[in-house]
Amino acid sequence: MVVDVSNSPSFEDAAVMKFFKTSTHNLLTAEVAARVQHHVAVSVVGTGRLLGSGYLRAKFAQEKLIKESSIPFSIVQATQFFEFLTNIADAATHGTAVRVPPVHVQPIAADDVARAVAKIATGSPLNDTVEIGGPEPFYLDGLLQRVLGARNDPREVIADAHARYFGTELKERSLLPGDEAELGEIRFDDWLGRTARPIPNSNVQPAAADVRTGRSQLKENEFRIGEVPPGSVLLVDDCSVFNIDGSFCATQAMCTHKQGPLSEGSLDGTTVTCPLHGAQFNVWTGAVLRGPAKDPLKTYRVIVDGEVGRVDVPLAHAVQGD
């Protein structure tokens, strides 16, 4: 039995096609001579329908060679690995912005991929293709912003309907596995909590650190104006405070869908994007602008007195922990 998880060192169209055709041909030829009884290959969900991508065309060619060989086979098509999300962001980076299409993804942890491949490899050949994916779907832009934010990466992720994904145009569900896919067990939050390593920010000035240490002198729901530059968001107790062109507003701290931390999300004008599943809200009104969230955010008035701001949370909300 042979398991092929090799990958091309270059994603350039001609180079990646040459790699997968040559390496797969060489492997299959050697396997015939060695009388291998099972060839297992890891591929990518969507190879047959996303041929506008040079990389996915090459993976499709690899699958075709495997199916046409005389060796019994199993092809495991996986969704994007959690571990490769920063690579996706790097490939979509233009200047300081990461531009990706507003599509759904259902990524999977590499550990879950390994378990699925091991199970298939030690069983009888399927002579077919199976799909595997993660346990939960996300919007790609919100997911990448969450990954970068956990590493203190300053790049902004922008949902751009015209952006391409490794050279190809996508529909909203192009990257999702089918209904029969086998799903992994590791959830994104659990994986991120174990693996995130913040990138040290060498640009932080001592003065900024002094402002943070002064928070102990503030009262509940108060913050210093200097902590929230225009176009940014700050977590203040149980609220998220937004600075929209010098005007302040506040909402509940967590998304109404799956309790994603809005203070870690991206702010574009008056729209905040939840970093967990990509739900979007108007920060002034709390209205849902994009799912999967259905319920609006609670919103609160912000009172500014000199250099200190205060979120005016109604007493009933504060008592209930809202």
Side-chain angles (χ1 to χ4, degrees):
M1 173 266 293
V2 170
V3 177
D4 180 13
V5 294
S6 60
N7 204 4
S8 174
S10 171
F11 282 16
E12 189 274 325
D13 287 3
V16 71
M17 180 64 77
K18 181 179 180 181
F19 173 87
F20 280 116
K21 279 190 171 182
T22 303
S23 63
T24 304
H25 171 77
N26 291 343
L27 276 176
L28 294 173
T29 300
E31 289 171 26
V32 169
R35 298 183 179 180
V36 168
Q37 298 301 305
H38 191 184
H39 179 98
V40 181
V42 175
S43 190
V44 185
V45 166
T47 53
R49 59 178 180 266
L50 298 174
L51 299 179
S53 164
Y55 180 81
L56 295 179
R57 282 199 304 273
K59 293 296 290 183
F60 184 71
Q62 177 193 30
E63 293 183 13
K64 186 173 184 291
L65 288 172
I66 294 169
K67 293 174 182 177
E68 292 175 349
S69 76
S70 60
I71 300 173
F73 69 90
S74 299
I75 296 174
V76 184
Q77 290 186 341
T79 57
Q80 296 71 30
F81 293 11
F82 291 154
E83 290 78 3
F84 293 163
L85 291 174
T86 52
N87 300 75
I88 294 174
D90 292 344
T93 296
H94 304 274
T96 60
V98 179
R99 294 184 176 275
V100 291
V103 298
H104 282 102
V105 291
Q106 197 165 328
I108 184 171
D111 282 349
D112 279 338
V113 176
R115 277 188 285 270
V117 171
K119 178 181 177 181
I120 291 171
T122 54
S124 300
L126 302 175
N127 292 317
D128 202 356
T129 300
V130 295
E131 292 184 333
I132 58 175
E136 51 191 342
F138 301 87
Y139 272 101
L140 179 59
D141 54 313
L143 186 67
L144 294 184
Q145 190 69 71
R146 185 80 187 279
V147 170
L148 298 183
R151 289 162 172 76
N152 288 343
D153 190 314
R155 286 178 290 177
E156 179 186 8
V157 181
I158 299 173
D160 183 348
H162 301 291
R164 290 175 175 258
Y165 178 83
F166 291 98
T168 190
E169 293 183 355
L170 298 179
K171 296 181 180 178
E172 187 171 344
R173 301 179 62 84
S174 295
L175 299 178
L176 294 181
D179 294 337
E180 301 301 318
E182 179 179 335
L183 302 183
E185 298 178 356
I186 300 174
R187 302 182 73 84
F188 175 74
D189 278 352
D190 297 330
W191 173 85
L192 186 64
R194 294 199 307 265
T195 62
R197 295 291 184 273
I199 301 171
N201 186 351
S202 59
N203 294 321
V204 174
Q205 300 299 318
D210 292 340
V211 171
R212 289 289 180 182
T213 57
R215 280 198 59 76
S216 60
Q217 303 172 11
L218 299 173
K219 297 179 181 178
E220 186 177 8
N221 295 325
E222 287 187 345
F223 62 96
R224 298 188 187 281
I225 298 301
E227 292 182 273
V228 201
S232 68
V233 55
L234 175 71
L235 177 65
V236 178
D237 295 314
D238 292 327
C239 304
S240 290
V241 174
F242 304 89
N243 184 334
I244 311 298
D245 296 327
S247 297
F248 294 89
C249 60
T251 71
Q252 65 189 74
M254 311 300 277
C255 174
T256 58
H257 178 235
K258 291 290 185 179
Q259 299 299 295
L262 297 178
S263 59
E264 297 180 16
S266 60
L267 182 63
D268 183 9
T270 60
T271 300
V272 64
T273 301
C274 174
L276 190 56
H277 295 104
Q280 292 184 335
F281 304 88
N282 182 298
V283 297
W284 286 110
T285 67
V288 177
L289 303 178
R290 183 176 81 179
K294 296 181 180 179
D295 297 325
L297 297 173
K298 292 184 177 70
T299 58
Y300 310 111
R301 185 167 63 112
V302 174
I303 300 171
V304 176
D305 183 7
E307 295 301 313
V308 175
R310 177 173 60 84
V311 182
D312 188 16
V313 180
L315 180 60
H317 289 177
V319 171
Q320 294 171 9
D322 290 343

